[in-house]
Amino acid sequence: MLAASSAASSPLSHQRTIAFINPSPLTSPSSNNNDQYKSSSRLFAIPGVSSLTPEITSTFLQQQQQTSSSISTILSPQAIAASASITLTYLSLLLALDRPRGRLSIPDAANSLVINQSRVPNAGLGLFLSKSYPEGTVLGSYPGVLRPAEQFYSTKCRVYPQAVGYSWRFTDNKFVLDPTDDEGNIDMYCYGGGDALSNAVFKTLLSFMRVGTELTRINEPPIGAGGCNVSAREDLEKREVVFTLCRDVVVGQELFLDYGLDYDRSNYAPR
């Protein structure tokens, strides 16, 4: 049964409402039990759409139009092209400034180069060969991100001084190759990057550019080890350092390299 509710008794008196009276399913109202029937009925008030004021309707429609306009602007060809251009520019800068350099050139590098405990006292890990290779075999080029030397020593090395021991400083003292991660430590790979955002990009989107850090494990030889079996050649124009075997190396032999006259050896164990 449908009945219109009284505007005077309803809290929604300014709105047009429809009331639903739900009688008992087994009985019908009569004059004798009318009060009982009314007390057991349910009354549901449903505001009509037409009850919305013109001001509210106008504001709602304006918000909808503004939202649609914003979405259209974001998805416009001009906006998409601008976003793509900014993204490509940023990636180009990353590849030019923060990309990891270096490579492993020795045949079957994954199996030929073995990282193990060095035979040099207090040197930590060292690099060994699992196969025999002749003199002149190119191991690869030193890994790392090319950074201005002054900036590297005055920023990252002040916070993470251990990064100095793994970096390669070129002989003109202008640049260094930094193979360490964002906390100055050596990982299995050098991913590249220079800040939190670029680090994340190189570890995800550009992770295929990562470079193995095996060559950073080559130590200087201890006294009585027979000298060095690896030589380093700098190319200042390309900013790379190529490592080559300077003598025949047999299976299980550790690789040794002379770090040069300027290397800090103050942490070396006494001999």
Side-chain angles (χ1 to χ4, degrees):
M1 180 182 295
L2 294 177
S5 67
S6 170
S9 61
S10 172
L12 302 174
S13 57
H14 66 287
Q15 300 181 4
R16 178 176 62 83
T17 61
I18 298 175
F20 291 86
I21 299 177
N22 185 20
S24 172
L26 300 179
T27 61
S28 59
S30 64
S31 58
N32 295 332
N33 60 1
N34 188 47
D35 293 337
Q36 180 181 1
Y37 166 73
K38 288 183 177 178
S39 64
S40 64
S41 301
R42 298 180 182 177
L43 183 66
F44 301 93
I46 303 178
V49 175
S50 61
S51 65
L52 297 175
T53 63
E55 292 80 6
I56 295 177
T57 303
S58 176
T59 301
F60 175 76
L61 292 176
Q62 288 177 2
Q63 291 176 347
Q64 290 291 93
Q65 291 173 354
Q66 290 174 358
T67 301
S68 299
S69 177
S70 299
I71 294 176
S72 299
T73 301
I74 294 174
L75 298 180
S76 66
Q78 294 84 356
I80 294 175
S83 298
S85 176
I86 293 173
T87 302
L88 289 176
T89 300
Y90 177 69
L91 292 177
S92 298
L93 289 173
L94 289 187
L95 293 176
L97 302 176
D98 289 342
R99 66 179 173 85
R101 297 170 180 245
R103 64 186 182 277
L104 293 175
S105 303
I106 188 172
D108 194 20
N111 296 314
S112 299
L113 299 175
V114 178
I115 298 175
N116 211 333
Q117 189 65 36
S118 176
R119 294 169 185 165
V120 180
N122 295 340
L125 298 176
L127 189 63
F128 300 78
L129 287 180
S130 64
K131 301 178 182 180
S132 298
Y133 285 97
E135 177 183 352
T137 301
V138 177
L139 301 176
S141 58
Y142 200 77
V145 178
L146 187 67
R147 306 191 190 280
E150 183 177 354
Q151 177 186 2
F152 174 69
Y153 292 121
S154 63
T155 55
K156 185 174 185 177
C157 292
R158 287 194 174 185
V159 182
Y160 307 109
Q162 71 273 19
V164 177
Y166 293 107
S167 64
W168 184 280
R169 183 176 63 181
F170 286 92
T171 52
D172 62 359
N173 296 320
K174 293 181 178 180
F175 291 93
V176 300
L177 285 171
D178 174 24
T180 64
D181 61 15
D182 52 353
E183 295 184 349
N185 299 315
I186 284 291
D187 199 352
M188 288 297 297
Y189 298 97
C190 175
Y191 288 92
D195 53 38
L197 178 57
S198 62
N199 289 342
V201 172
F202 275 107
K203 286 185 177 181
T204 55
L205 184 63
L206 301 177
S207 61
F208 64 91
M209 298 186 68
R210 66 186 185 182
V211 178
T213 58
E214 287 88 344
L215 297 183
T216 66
R217 302 296 185 179
I218 300 178
N219 295 308
E220 281 198 314
I223 296 176
C228 300
N229 48 25
V230 176
S231 64
R233 177 180 56 81
E234 288 187 1
D235 188 327
L236 295 180
E237 183 177 350
K238 294 182 179 180
R239 292 296 173 183
E240 69 174 8
V241 185
V242 179
F243 286 10
T244 305
L245 294 182
C246 58
R247 64 175 61 176
D248 296 342
V249 177
V250 298
V251 176
Q253 193 170 354
E254 185 172 0
L255 299 179
F256 295 117
L257 172 73
D258 184 357
Y259 288 172
L261 297 176
D262 296 331
Y263 185 76
D264 181 10
R265 298 172 175 84
S266 59
N267 292 327
Y268 277 21
R271 295 167 181 157

